[in-house]
Amino acid sequence: MTDGAEQERDTAQDAPEPSIKEQVLEQMGGWQGLVYSTLPVAAFVPANAAWGLTGGAIAALVVAAVVAVIRLATRSSIQPAISGFFGVAVCVVIALIVGGNGKGYFLYGIVMQAVFAVVFAVSLLVRWPLVGVLWHLFDERKQTSADTDGTVAAGDWRSDRRQYRAFAWLTVLWIAMFAVRFAVQAALYQNDDVGGLGIARIIMGWPMFAVGVLITFLVARRVTHARAE
């Protein structure tokens, strides 16, 4: 039994580490996830322009439901399907409450960008850069899954000045990204530009997120690997 467990642990440790591209895509739900995330917005904007808010709401919900069914049929985990449909449903409910030209569909996303920016900024003020916290939480889970006794040899990464500075600047990067999203989309919201909001949501959605995740992986892996060596 012991030899078998040791062999499994050695196999897990010897397995090649996924490439940056593979890890970034994994965090974003793969290529399908990138496409699926834009479909409800792409359906809402033209339907809202053609048939009004009710038509846009129905179109977004139908597309989100179809996406959820496809995800349930092709994925082992139901979390992306449920969370994706729930997110669209929340946006639709807010849009119906706000009324008007349908700009309320984007209100939840705009507010959440401000919330994320504040949370990340507070993590800097208390000297726990949130990117570092999340990275090491994710890294420790990977180590635990490969360790048969469930222990993880992890030190206080904040005591490493190089790591702390790197994760602090990465946290600043994400704060800037959330702030830019909020500023641009809030301005479009004030101008009642539903079409512009749709375009901004798609362009500033997964493409910007992909760039942020890519930079985070490159920098974080470099500083953490340097410390391990």
Side-chain angles (χ1 to χ4, degrees):
M1 293 293 293
T2 303
D3 293 340
E6 290 179 353
Q7 184 177 1
E8 290 179 1
R9 181 173 59 185
D10 293 341
T11 301
Q13 291 175 347
D14 294 339
E17 187 174 6
S19 66
I20 291 292
K21 177 181 177 181
E22 292 172 342
Q23 293 187 59
V24 171
L25 283 176
E26 179 184 354
Q27 296 304 307
M28 302 178 65
W31 292 111
Q32 288 182 337
L34 303 184
V35 176
Y36 291 158
S37 64
T38 64
L39 292 181
V41 175
F44 174 81
V45 173
N48 178 70
W51 303 301
L53 178 55
T54 301
I58 293 174
L61 287 174
V62 169
V63 170
V66 171
V67 168
V69 170
I70 294 175
R71 281 181 161 175
L72 287 172
T74 58
R75 288 173 176 265
S76 58
S77 174
I78 65 173
Q79 189 273 333
I82 295 176
S83 61
F85 181 81
F86 178 77
V88 173
V90 169
C91 293
V92 166
V93 170
I94 294 175
L96 294 174
I97 293 175
V98 173
N101 63 352
K103 68 178 184 178
Y105 181 87
F106 302 94
L107 185 59
Y108 174 77
I110 295 172
V111 172
M112 289 309 299
Q113 300 310 308
V115 171
F116 289 145
V118 170
V119 170
F120 275 64
V122 170
S123 75
L124 276 181
L125 293 177
V126 298
R127 299 185 61 81
W128 279 90
L130 194 52
V131 174
V133 174
L134 295 175
W135 175 267
H136 284 277
L137 178 64
F138 172 73
D139 192 50
E140 288 178 12
R141 285 179 177 176
K142 290 195 301 181
Q143 293 181 44
T144 303
S145 64
D147 196 344
T148 55
D149 62 3
T151 60
V152 180
D156 184 3
W157 55 271
R158 295 188 304 149
S159 63
D160 184 337
R161 293 185 60 186
R162 184 182 181 189
Q163 276 204 66
Y164 181 83
R165 286 197 301 267
F167 285 117
W169 280 111
L170 287 173
T171 302
V172 171
L173 170 68
W174 284 88
I175 294 172
M177 184 179 74
F178 294 135
V180 168
R181 283 176 171 175
F182 173 78
V184 172
Q185 295 180 35
L188 292 170
Y189 185 90
Q190 290 295 326
N191 292 330
D192 297 328
D193 190 350
V194 177
L197 281 168
I199 295 173
R201 175 66 62 85
I202 293 174
I203 294 178
M204 305 181 80
W206 64 261
M208 182 179 288
F209 181 77
V211 173
V213 172
L214 177 61
I215 295 174
T216 300
F217 267 93
L218 288 172
V219 175
R221 282 183 60 179
R222 181 175 181 179
V223 296
T224 52
H225 284 192
R227 181 183 183 185
E229 293 174 358

